[in-house]
């Protein structure tokens, strides 16, 4: 891939956007966080942050609780927007796409790659627990840990979504010049059209 990080990528010779997205994400020390905007039942936007789990050749994957508000939104309207900000080097990736449920076999695999803390959390953390005092919440977590010393299976409510983008905008800051974006829009035949835009 030519110059994936620079500010002078030629739109006519632009790399595949999913490859470029993977290059920008790299292999971070800590899980990357992205904002996820969904559409409510009455058509309003709603946003929160989630962990970016993986970027494949076609989709960006995240996980959540099937009982959550965002999961309810996605059942009705799969349209989402994602945004990731990197302060250093100064970059932003904004994605518009549609979220489809991740198949169970992939979910089982993904769950096995979570930290033990996140696995335990996915079992115990619900609204009923959240309503209890902090000390009790910690006790519940510790008691679950103690009762389940071995590997944990995926709870049925731990689900995932694969966001297939139809637009990706790569924004680059430039300390000594104007910021700019390289924006990709998916053509009906699946190929990408790249345009250089002001930042
Ligand atoms: C850094 C960070 C990472 C988070 N990662 C996730 C995640 O991967 N999945 C998730 O469901 N919620 C995650 N959350 C919690 C969500 O932001 C949100 O509070 C929760 O999922 C409920 O959202 P909802 O009511 O809009 O569905 C994370 C929060 C923060 C601050």
């Amino acid at each position: 891939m030519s110059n994936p990080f620079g500010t002078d990528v030629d739109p006519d010779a632009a790399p595949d956007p999913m490859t470029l997205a993977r290059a920008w994400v790299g292999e971070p020390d800590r899980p990357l966080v992205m904002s996820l905007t969904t559409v409510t039942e009455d058509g309003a936007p709603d946003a929160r942050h989630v962990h970016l789990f993986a970027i494949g050749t076609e989709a960006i994957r995240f996980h959540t609780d099937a009982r959550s508000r965002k999961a309810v939104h996605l059942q009705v309207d799969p349209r989402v927007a994602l945004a990731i900000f990197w302060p250093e080097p100064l970059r932003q990736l904004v994605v518009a796409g549609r979220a489809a449920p991740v198949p169970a076999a992939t979910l089982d695999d993904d769950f096995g790659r979570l930290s033990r803390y996140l696995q335990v959390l996915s079992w115990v953390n619900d609204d009923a627990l959240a309503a209890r005092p902090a000390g009790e919440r910690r006790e519940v977590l510790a008691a679950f840990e103690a009762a389940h010393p071995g590997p944990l299976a995926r709870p049925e409510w731990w689900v995932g979504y694969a966001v297939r983008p139809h637009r990706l905008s790569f924004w680059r800051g430039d300390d000594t010049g104007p910021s700019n974006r390289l924006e990709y829009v998916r053509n009906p035949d699946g190929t990408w059209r790249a345009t250089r835009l002001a930042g």
Side-chain angles (χ1 to χ4, degrees), residues 72-95:
V72 173
H73 296 167
L74 292 173
Q75 271 171 19
V76 179
D77 190 336
R79 290 176 301 167
V80 298
L82 308 172
I84 309 172
F85 169 62
W86 291 269
E88 186 55 50
L90 197 52
R91 286 183 194 149
Q92 173 182 237
L93 172 60
V94 178
V95 172

